[in-house]
Amino acid sequence: MNKYKKLIGNSAIFAVGNLGSKLILIFLVPLYTYYLTAVEYGTIDIITTTSSLLLPIISLSIFDAVLRFVMDKKYPNDVVFTNALIITILGSIIALLFYPIFVYFNVLSGLLEYMYTILIIQAFQTMLTQFIRAIGKIKVYALNGIIMTLVTAVFNIIFLVKYNMGINGYFLSIIIANLISIVYLTLYTKILSYIRFDKINKKITVKMLVYCIPLIPNAFMWWTINASNRYFILFFVGASANGLFAVANKIPSLLSILNTVFFQAWQLSAIEEYNDEGKSNFYSKTFSYFSMILFLGTSGILLVLKFITSTLVSNEFYQSWQFVPFLLIGIIFSSFSGFLGTNYIAAKQTGGVFRTSVIGGVVNVIANIIFIPLVGTNGAGISTMISFFVVWVLRYYDTKKYINMKLNVRIITLNLLLISIQIFILFIDFTIFKEFFIELILFLLVIIVNRKIIKLFKQIITTTVKKFV
């Protein structure tokens, strides 16, 4: 029972950090849609998406190795951190060597400097946050997330509203937030004490690289599934449509909050419990409850989707609601895939992560080419949904050699059926009252199907209140 309590406790701490930060970012959507045009917002999305692609490449994804190796008691923390820091520095220097080439070919004219700055700062910031999480300072990790978001929000308001700086103001706020995060983590946790250049160890460095290098192409394939659809939309439909799609992605981020909160805690528990004899039952039961939360969250968002969209965005972006439903299903399958991906990480068999992601990436590209010209921007969401479903199924069968997980296929199928009906109702021309009434009934049915998680929440809350009293 202790492992479940620890997972719930860690999830609660991560929830404090993520709920606050993610909700602030969602509330910033009206600011962006009022002070940035659809084309400008689409441009920002392309640059941030490209940065997320390049981050694992310039850092060799060493931040993933930091989390796994620090949690392995065989490796001293200062050795792991120092080796990771050296690799991050070298990767940043190599990336800077390509800067003159990009300038010569006029890549991202006027915005290349911002992308480079954000990319290099985030390489160090991500490495620091993973180290902080691995050594057990999860409260600091959570607070750091809130600080970064608050700083981003404040400077967004200053740069966009007061000084009307547009895209430049947006990127400046991101840079400042990351720098403040680095300073906070460095000073508050005395992280400099872990830097010991006399502790550079080639053998451990090689082991870390063998672990994390397969995660680089995996990150690229994950990016292909998650983000390449922006480029297909840009090519087949246009920048304005990409702006609408970027805004549509903000609403499913409500569901991503649940996924992020849980996944940060689950990575720690999965690694700690991997050598336990009862790991299969632990993983299976945890996945069951996790899937129920995702289904309830998806159904709840669909219930109020049009209201959220009309409230959060300007009229120019209202039609973006049409792209949200398939993105939500995509997040469900993405979350399922990520859960099973942790099995590879816990087993230190990261090659399996790469193999399954490659197949998913290929499926995504083919689906984008087929569906975007066929049905427009919604084809991107459909492609994402299909590709993540394929990755999930592949990983379920492939990871059985590490963890023999069992799925409740009946419950999963019933949930997907009810949510599919909810999506269908949204696209029918009903009156607002009739549509909401039908959606509410379907939402209540989803609650009934997933009543076990409701009982669990009730039990946790009751126990917590009793202890407090």
Side-chain angles (χ1 to χ4, degrees):
M1 182 56 70
N2 286 335
K3 54 191 173 185
Y4 292 103
K5 287 182 178 179
K6 188 172 184 179
L7 176 59
I8 293 170
N10 286 343
S11 297
I13 294 172
F14 287 125
V16 172
N18 282 281
L19 287 176
S21 60
K22 297 293 184 182
L23 287 174
I24 291 170
L25 288 177
I26 290 170
F27 290 136
L28 285 175
V29 172
L31 180 74
Y32 298 145
T33 59
Y34 278 102
Y35 287 92
L36 297 169
T37 65
V39 174
E40 286 177 325
Y41 201 85
T43 303
I44 287 172
D45 188 62
I46 287 293
I47 291 175
T48 52
T49 298
T50 305
S51 297
S52 67
L53 164 67
L54 297 175
L55 180 60
I57 296 174
I58 73 158
S59 64
L60 293 181
S61 205
I62 195 66
F63 46 80
D64 287 311
V66 168
L67 177 66
R68 185 63 184 90
F69 278 74
V70 168
M71 292 191 68
D72 192 328
K73 303 305 180 185
K74 292 189 298 184
Y75 305 100
N77 293 349
D78 53 355
V79 175
V80 174
F81 184 77
T82 301
N83 282 273
L85 180 63
I86 294 297
I87 292 170
T88 305
I89 292 171
L90 291 175
S92 300
I93 293 172
I94 293 171
L96 285 170
L97 295 177
F98 288 91
Y99 177 77
I101 300 173
F102 292 133
V103 171
Y104 178 79
F105 287 103
N106 201 31
V107 177
L108 295 175
S109 179
L111 297 173
L112 182 63
E113 295 80 5
Y114 287 121
M115 191 188 78
Y116 251 89
T117 305
I118 290 171
L119 191 58
I120 292 173
I121 291 174
Q122 284 186 339
F124 288 95
Q125 196 273 340
T126 305
M127 195 261 294
L128 286 174
T129 53
Q130 289 292 73
F131 183 75
I132 292 299
R133 185 153 68 110
I135 62 176
K137 295 184 180 295
I138 58 175
K139 292 180 181 179
V140 175
Y141 178 90
L143 182 58
N144 174 69
I146 294 178
I147 291 171
M148 275 191 68
T149 310
L150 285 174
V151 172
T152 303
V154 170
F155 280 99
N156 264 312
I157 293 170
I158 293 172
F159 293 146
L160 295 182
V161 179
K162 186 174 181 179
Y163 293 105
N164 197 27
M165 293 174 65
I167 291 178
N168 294 325
Y170 178 90
F171 287 129
L172 279 174
S173 65
I174 299 296
I175 292 169
I176 292 171
N178 276 275
L179 286 173
I180 289 176
S181 168
I182 290 173
V183 172
Y184 164 70
L185 292 175
T186 301
L187 296 179
Y188 192 83
T189 59
K190 298 179 181 179
I191 209 164
L192 293 178
S193 63
Y194 290 96
I195 301 176
R196 300 282 300 277
F197 291 111
D198 59 317
K199 295 283 187 178
I200 295 175
N201 187 306
K202 290 183 179 179
K203 288 184 179 180
I204 294 179
T205 301
V206 170
K207 287 183 179 180
M208 291 173 68
L209 290 175
V210 168
Y211 172 85
C212 65
I213 282 178
L215 296 175
I216 300 172
N218 168 69
F220 175 73
M221 290 302 164
W222 212 247
W223 173 89
T224 300
I225 299 173
N226 266 312
S228 65
N229 44 28
R230 268 81 158 176
Y231 297 94
F232 285 104
I233 293 171
L234 196 64
F235 179 77
F236 287 113
V237 190
S240 180
N242 193 61
L244 290 173
F245 188 76
V247 171
N249 268 284
K250 296 298 180 182
I251 296 177
S253 64
L254 288 165
L255 187 62
S256 294
I257 294 173
L258 297 175
N259 180 36
T260 302
V261 166
F262 169 79
F263 192 68
Q264 288 173 342
W266 171 243
Q267 271 190 317
L268 303 180
S269 292
I271 293 171
E272 288 175 352
E273 299 298 329
Y274 180 71
N275 294 318
D276 188 84
E277 290 183 2
K279 62 183 178 183
S280 294
N281 183 54
F282 176 54
Y283 279 52
S284 300
K285 189 176 290 187
T286 302
F287 179 83
S288 177
Y289 286 126
F290 176 51
S291 63
M292 290 179 187
I293 293 172
L294 289 173
F295 287 130
L296 282 169
T298 300
S299 182
I301 292 173
L302 290 173
L303 174 65
V304 294
L305 173 59
K306 291 183 180 179
F307 172 76
I308 292 175
T309 308
S310 62
T311 303
L312 288 180
V313 306
S314 63
N315 292 332
E316 182 185 2
F317 291 87
Y318 175 71
Q319 292 304 317
S320 62
W321 74 263
Q322 300 176 52
F323 314 134
V324 173
F326 295 109
L327 290 172
L328 285 170
I329 304 297
I331 285 181
I332 290 176
F333 292 139
S334 168
S335 303
F336 288 177
S337 303
F339 185 97
L340 294 175
T342 307
N343 295 357
Y344 293 113
I345 291 171
K348 287 188 179 178
Q349 300 296 324
T350 51
V353 176
F354 169 60
R355 289 193 305 272
T356 53
S357 294
V358 167
I359 297 172
V362 172
V363 170
N364 181 258
V365 170
I366 295 172
N368 271 314
I369 294 172
I370 295 172
F371 287 108
I372 293 179
L374 195 64
V375 298
T377 307
N378 242 333
I382 294 171
S383 302
T384 300
M385 178 182 70
I386 293 172
S387 54
F388 276 127
F389 175 77
V390 170
V391 174
W392 171 45
V393 173
L394 287 173
R395 287 185 176 179
Y396 172 68
Y397 288 104
D398 191 43
T399 58
K400 277 188 172 294
K401 53 193 172 189
Y402 310 122
I403 309 226
N404 187 26
M405 276 182 54
K406 296 180 181 178
L407 301 180
N408 192 327
V409 178
R410 185 180 66 85
I411 294 295
I412 292 173
T413 304
L414 192 53
N415 273 301
L416 289 173
L417 177 62
L418 290 170
I419 287 171
S420 298
I421 297 172
Q422 278 189 275
I423 294 172
F424 178 73
I425 295 299
L426 287 173
F427 286 93
I428 296 179
D429 191 20
F430 284 134
T431 61
I432 295 176
F433 176 78
K434 188 174 183 180
E435 178 184 288
F436 182 78
F437 180 72
I438 297 173
E439 291 284 347
L440 181 60
I441 291 175
L442 290 166
F443 175 63
L444 292 174
L445 288 174
V446 172
I447 290 177
I448 292 171
V449 171
N450 300 286
R451 57 189 176 276
K452 282 187 178 179
I453 194 67
I454 304 297
K455 290 179 180 178
L456 178 64
F457 281 145
K458 184 179 179 181
Q459 182 181 351
I460 292 170
I461 293 169
T462 304
T463 304
T464 304
V465 170
K466 284 181 178 179
K467 286 183 177 180
F468 178 76
V469 172

